[in-house]
Amino acid sequence: NHQSFDAASFVTNAIPSTKLTYAYVDKVQRIFGDTVDMGSHLLQADTKTGDLGTLSLYGFALDYKDEGFYGLSTTTYGARYAGGYAFNSSFKGLWDLEIAQQDDSGDNPNRVDAGYQRLELGAAASGWTFKIGHEVLEGDPENGKFTTPLATLHAWNGWADQFLNTPQIGLRDLYVDRGANWLGIKWAAIYHDFSADEGSDRYGSEIDLLAVKKFNKHYLVGLKYANFRVDS
Protein backbone atom coordinates (compact mmCIF):
# COMPACT_ATOMS: atom_id res chain seq x y z
CA ASN A 1 0.00 0.00 0.00
CA HIS A 2 1.07 3.58 -0.54
CA GLN A 3 0.92 5.97 2.42
CA SER A 4 -1.77 8.66 2.33
CA PHE A 5 -3.23 11.24 4.68
CA ASP A 6 -6.49 12.82 5.76
CA ALA A 7 -5.30 16.42 5.84
CA ALA A 8 -5.95 20.05 5.04
CA SER A 9 -3.21 22.27 3.65
CA PHE A 10 -2.65 25.93 2.87
CA VAL A 11 0.01 27.22 0.45
CA THR A 12 0.86 30.84 -0.35
CA ASN A 13 3.44 32.59 -2.52
CA ALA A 14 2.58 36.05 -1.17
CA ILE A 15 6.20 36.62 -0.11
CA PRO A 16 8.47 37.10 -3.17
CA SER A 17 10.64 34.05 -3.98
CA THR A 18 9.14 32.19 -1.01
CA LYS A 19 6.53 29.46 -0.67
CA LEU A 20 4.88 28.95 2.71
CA THR A 21 3.13 25.65 3.38
CA TYR A 22 1.02 24.63 6.36
CA ALA A 23 -0.75 21.30 6.74
CA TYR A 24 -2.88 19.72 9.45
CA VAL A 25 -2.91 15.91 9.39
CA ASP A 26 -5.82 14.08 11.03
CA LYS A 27 -5.20 10.48 9.95
CA VAL A 28 -2.47 8.41 8.31
CA GLN A 29 -3.21 5.40 6.11
CA ARG A 30 0.08 3.54 6.46
CA ILE A 31 1.84 1.18 4.06
CA PHE A 32 0.89 -1.75 6.32
CA GLY A 33 -2.83 -1.25 5.65
CA ASP A 34 -3.80 0.28 9.02
CA THR A 35 -5.15 3.76 9.79
CA VAL A 36 -3.72 5.81 12.66
CA ASP A 37 -5.31 8.90 14.25
CA MET A 38 -3.24 12.00 14.88
CA GLY A 39 -3.46 15.76 15.17
CA SER A 40 -0.23 16.98 13.59
CA HIS A 41 0.92 20.41 12.39
CA LEU A 42 3.45 20.72 9.55
CA LEU A 43 4.96 24.09 8.60
CA GLN A 44 7.61 24.79 5.97
CA ALA A 45 9.06 27.85 4.23
CA ASP A 46 10.97 27.43 0.95
CA THR A 47 13.00 30.43 -0.27
CA LYS A 48 14.84 30.53 -3.58
CA THR A 49 18.36 31.94 -3.35
CA GLY A 50 18.80 33.10 -6.91
CA ASP A 51 20.00 30.38 -9.27
CA LEU A 52 21.97 28.54 -6.60
CA GLY A 53 19.21 26.64 -4.84
CA THR A 54 16.44 26.66 -2.25
CA LEU A 55 16.65 27.21 1.50
CA SER A 56 13.94 25.33 3.43
CA LEU A 57 13.08 25.92 7.09
CA TYR A 58 10.56 23.59 8.71
CA GLY A 59 8.83 22.61 11.92
CA PHE A 60 6.84 19.37 12.26
CA ALA A 61 4.77 18.66 15.39
CA LEU A 62 3.55 15.03 15.26
CA ASP A 63 0.90 14.20 17.85
CA TYR A 64 -0.37 10.60 17.68
CA LYS A 65 -3.75 9.85 19.28
CA ASP A 66 -3.50 6.03 19.29
CA GLU A 67 -1.77 4.74 22.43
CA GLY A 68 0.31 2.23 20.52
CA PHE A 69 1.94 5.08 18.59
CA TYR A 70 2.56 7.55 21.43
CA GLY A 71 6.28 6.84 21.12
CA LEU A 72 6.30 8.53 17.68
CA SER A 73 4.95 11.87 18.96
CA THR A 74 7.78 14.34 18.40
CA THR A 75 8.57 17.93 17.48
CA THR A 76 11.22 18.45 14.80
CA TYR A 77 12.86 21.67 13.62
CA GLY A 78 15.26 21.75 10.73
CA ALA A 79 16.85 23.49 7.77
CA ARG A 80 17.85 22.27 4.33
CA TYR A 81 19.78 23.92 1.50
CA ALA A 82 19.73 22.15 -1.87
CA GLY A 83 20.83 23.33 -5.27
CA GLY A 84 23.77 23.57 -7.62
CA TYR A 85 26.09 25.79 -9.64
CA ALA A 86 26.50 25.58 -13.42
CA PHE A 87 30.16 25.99 -14.29
CA ASN A 88 29.29 25.84 -17.98
CA SER A 89 26.56 24.53 -20.28
CA SER A 90 27.53 20.89 -19.73
CA PHE A 91 28.82 20.67 -16.14
CA LYS A 92 27.04 21.49 -12.89
CA GLY A 93 28.05 21.05 -9.28
CA LEU A 94 25.36 19.79 -6.88
CA TRP A 95 24.84 19.97 -3.12
CA ASP A 96 22.20 19.03 -0.56
CA LEU A 97 22.79 19.98 3.09
CA GLU A 98 20.36 19.38 5.96
CA ILE A 99 20.31 19.50 9.75
CA ALA A 100 17.46 18.93 12.21
CA GLN A 101 16.72 18.43 15.90
CA GLN A 102 13.95 16.22 17.28
CA ASP A 103 12.43 16.14 20.79
CA ASP A 104 9.63 14.15 22.42
CA SER A 105 6.21 15.81 22.63
CA GLY A 106 2.53 15.10 23.25
CA ASP A 107 1.91 11.80 25.06
CA ASN A 108 5.29 10.32 24.19
CA PRO A 109 6.43 8.40 27.30
CA ASN A 110 10.03 8.24 26.10
CA ARG A 111 12.83 10.77 26.13
CA VAL A 112 13.83 11.92 22.65
CA ASP A 113 16.77 14.26 22.09
CA ALA A 114 18.18 13.28 18.72
CA GLY A 115 19.59 15.04 15.70
CA TYR A 116 19.75 14.52 11.96
CA GLN A 117 22.47 15.53 9.51
CA ARG A 118 22.98 15.01 5.81
CA LEU A 119 25.80 16.17 3.56
CA GLU A 120 25.59 15.34 -0.14
CA LEU A 121 27.87 16.62 -2.89
CA GLY A 122 27.80 15.74 -6.55
CA ALA A 123 28.06 16.70 -10.19
CA ALA A 124 25.97 16.46 -13.34
CA ALA A 125 27.40 16.37 -16.85
CA SER A 126 25.99 15.32 -20.23
CA GLY A 127 23.09 13.34 -18.79
CA TRP A 128 25.18 11.65 -16.09
CA THR A 129 25.09 12.36 -12.37
CA PHE A 130 27.40 11.34 -9.54
CA LYS A 131 26.70 11.95 -5.85
CA ILE A 132 28.38 10.99 -2.61
CA GLY A 133 26.67 11.57 0.71
CA HIS A 134 26.62 10.85 4.42
CA GLU A 135 23.34 10.76 6.37
CA VAL A 136 23.04 10.42 10.15
CA LEU A 137 19.92 9.62 12.19
CA GLU A 138 21.14 9.86 15.78
CA GLY A 139 20.17 7.32 18.40
CA ASP A 140 21.22 6.00 21.80
CA PRO A 141 19.44 4.19 24.66
CA GLU A 142 19.34 7.27 26.92
CA ASN A 143 18.23 9.98 24.48
CA GLY A 144 16.06 8.00 22.07
CA LYS A 145 16.33 7.94 18.30
CA PHE A 146 15.49 10.22 15.38
CA THR A 147 12.35 8.87 13.64
CA THR A 148 10.59 9.76 10.37
CA PRO A 149 7.22 7.94 10.51
CA LEU A 150 5.56 10.06 7.78
CA ALA A 151 8.41 9.75 5.30
CA THR A 152 8.42 7.95 1.96
CA LEU A 153 10.65 5.42 3.67
CA HIS A 154 11.39 3.26 0.62
CA ALA A 155 13.17 6.21 -1.02
CA TRP A 156 15.79 6.43 1.76
CA ASN A 157 18.42 4.12 3.29
CA GLY A 158 18.20 1.39 0.69
CA TRP A 159 15.47 -0.21 -1.39
CA ALA A 160 15.70 -3.51 0.51
CA ASP A 161 13.74 -1.72 3.29
CA GLN A 162 15.97 -2.91 6.13
CA PHE A 163 15.75 0.42 7.96
CA LEU A 164 12.09 1.45 7.79
CA ASN A 165 12.50 2.02 11.54
CA THR A 166 15.59 3.74 12.90
CA PRO A 167 17.66 1.31 15.04
CA GLN A 168 17.81 2.21 18.74
CA ILE A 169 21.51 3.07 18.44
CA GLY A 170 20.94 5.20 15.35
CA LEU A 171 21.91 4.90 11.70
CA ARG A 172 24.76 6.22 9.58
CA ASP A 173 24.47 5.82 5.82
CA LEU A 174 27.52 6.49 3.65
CA TYR A 175 26.39 6.23 0.04
CA VAL A 176 27.50 6.70 -3.57
CA ASP A 177 24.86 7.36 -6.23
CA ARG A 178 25.50 7.12 -9.98
CA GLY A 179 22.70 7.95 -12.43
CA ALA A 180 22.23 8.49 -16.14
CA ASN A 181 19.73 9.05 -18.93
CA TRP A 182 21.04 6.95 -21.81
CA LEU A 183 19.30 5.42 -24.82
CA GLY A 184 16.00 6.85 -23.56
CA ILE A 185 16.32 4.87 -20.31
CA LYS A 186 16.82 6.17 -16.78
CA TRP A 187 19.61 4.24 -15.04
CA ALA A 188 20.67 4.32 -11.39
CA ALA A 189 23.24 2.46 -9.29
CA ILE A 190 23.61 3.17 -5.55
CA TYR A 191 25.95 1.71 -2.96
CA HIS A 192 25.21 2.05 0.79
CA ASP A 193 27.43 1.35 3.78
CA PHE A 194 25.33 1.21 6.97
CA SER A 195 26.62 1.53 10.53
CA ALA A 196 25.41 2.55 13.99
CA ASP A 197 25.52 6.13 15.25
CA GLU A 198 26.26 5.01 18.83
CA GLY A 199 29.24 2.67 19.12
CA SER A 200 31.15 0.96 16.33
CA ASP A 201 28.63 -1.60 15.06
CA ARG A 202 28.49 -1.98 11.28
CA TYR A 203 25.10 -3.17 10.00
CA GLY A 204 26.07 -4.13 6.46
CA SER A 205 26.10 -2.87 2.88
CA GLU A 206 23.64 -2.70 0.01
CA ILE A 207 23.67 -2.36 -3.76
CA ASP A 208 20.60 -0.90 -5.53
CA LEU A 209 20.09 -0.94 -9.32
CA LEU A 210 17.33 0.63 -11.43
CA ALA A 211 16.35 0.89 -15.10
CA VAL A 212 13.14 2.67 -16.21
CA LYS A 213 11.80 3.31 -19.72
CA LYS A 214 8.88 5.66 -20.43
CA PHE A 215 6.47 5.13 -23.33
CA ASN A 216 4.43 8.05 -24.63
CA LYS A 217 3.05 10.13 -21.73
CA HIS A 218 1.26 7.54 -19.64
CA TYR A 219 3.27 4.31 -19.46
CA LEU A 220 6.59 3.08 -18.19
CA VAL A 221 8.29 -0.21 -17.51
CA GLY A 222 11.07 -0.64 -14.99
CA LEU A 223 13.36 -3.10 -13.27
CA LYS A 224 14.57 -2.56 -9.71
CA TYR A 225 17.08 -4.69 -7.79
CA ALA A 226 18.28 -4.47 -4.17
CA ASN A 227 20.82 -6.67 -2.38
CA PHE A 228 21.50 -6.10 1.33
CA ARG A 229 24.28 -8.08 3.01
CA VAL A 230 24.98 -8.21 6.75
CA ASP A 231 28.49 -8.56 8.12
CA SER A 232 27.71 -11.57 10.29
Side-chain angles (χ1 to χ4, degrees):
N1 303 293
H2 69 281
Q3 182 167 252
S4 62
F5 308 93
D6 291 358
S9 63
F10 172 79
V11 179
T12 178
N13 294 290
I15 302 175
S17 301
T18 299
K19 181 176 76 171
L20 293 176
T21 303
Y22 166 78
Y24 177 81
V25 183
D26 179 65
K27 287 183 176 61
V28 182
Q29 288 81 34
R30 304 200 310 153
I31 61 173
F32 306 106
D34 56 339
T35 297
V36 180
D37 291 326
M38 62 163 38
S40 298
H41 303 272
L42 315 178
L43 181 64
Q44 181 161 318
D46 300 304
T47 302
K48 292 184 178 180
T49 57
D51 296 329
L52 294 179
T54 300
L55 174 64
S56 300
L57 304 176
Y58 54 83
F60 304 146
L62 305 188
D63 188 5
Y64 283 81
K65 303 302 183 183
D66 291 357
E67 184 175 359
F69 293 86
Y70 283 170
L72 296 176
S73 292
T74 57
T75 300
T76 306
Y77 298 98
R80 179 188 182 193
Y81 187 54
Y85 178 77
F87 291 92
N88 52 51
S89 59
S90 60
F91 183 81
K92 184 176 183 179
L94 306 172
W95 57 76
D96 195 339
L97 316 173
E98 188 169 2
I99 186 170
Q101 172 63 30
Q102 186 174 92
D103 302 297
D104 55 281
S105 63
D107 294 316
N108 193 332
N110 307 311
R111 170 179 167 80
V112 179
D113 182 7
Y116 172 88
Q117 305 96 41
R118 181 158 62 98
L119 170 62
E120 180 182 279
L121 300 175
S126 303
W128 293 79
T129 60
F130 177 84
K131 300 176 184 177
I132 183 170
H134 186 231
E135 182 186 44
V136 179
L137 290 84
E138 292 182 356
D140 67 63
E142 293 184 0
N143 296 312
K145 58 185 180 179
F146 194 97
T147 57
T148 59
L150 300 188
T152 306
L153 294 169
H154 181 73
W156 303 92
N157 305 128
W159 297 337
D161 292 341
Q162 296 300 298
F163 300 101
L164 295 181
N165 295 308
T166 307
Q168 189 61 47
I169 53 177
L171 175 66
R172 291 179 176 267
D173 179 10
L174 178 63
Y175 60 91
V176 178
D177 184 335
R178 181 72 180 269
N181 285 290
W182 183 52
L183 301 177
I185 300 174
K186 176 184 176 181
W187 306 86
I190 308 170
Y191 173 80
H192 295 270
D193 185 86
F194 298 110
S195 59
D197 173 56
E198 179 74 11
S200 59
D201 289 350
R202 184 172 179 271
Y203 298 135
S205 61
E206 180 171 326
I207 294 176
D208 297 329
L209 303 174
L210 174 74
V212 177
K213 171 69 175 179
K214 292 187 69 174
F215 297 92
N216 301 320
K217 295 181 179 181
H218 307 291
Y219 307 100
L220 61 84
V221 61
L223 297 173
K224 177 181 281 190
Y225 172 82
N227 187 324
F228 175 82
R229 293 181 179 271
V230 297
D231 289 339
S232 62

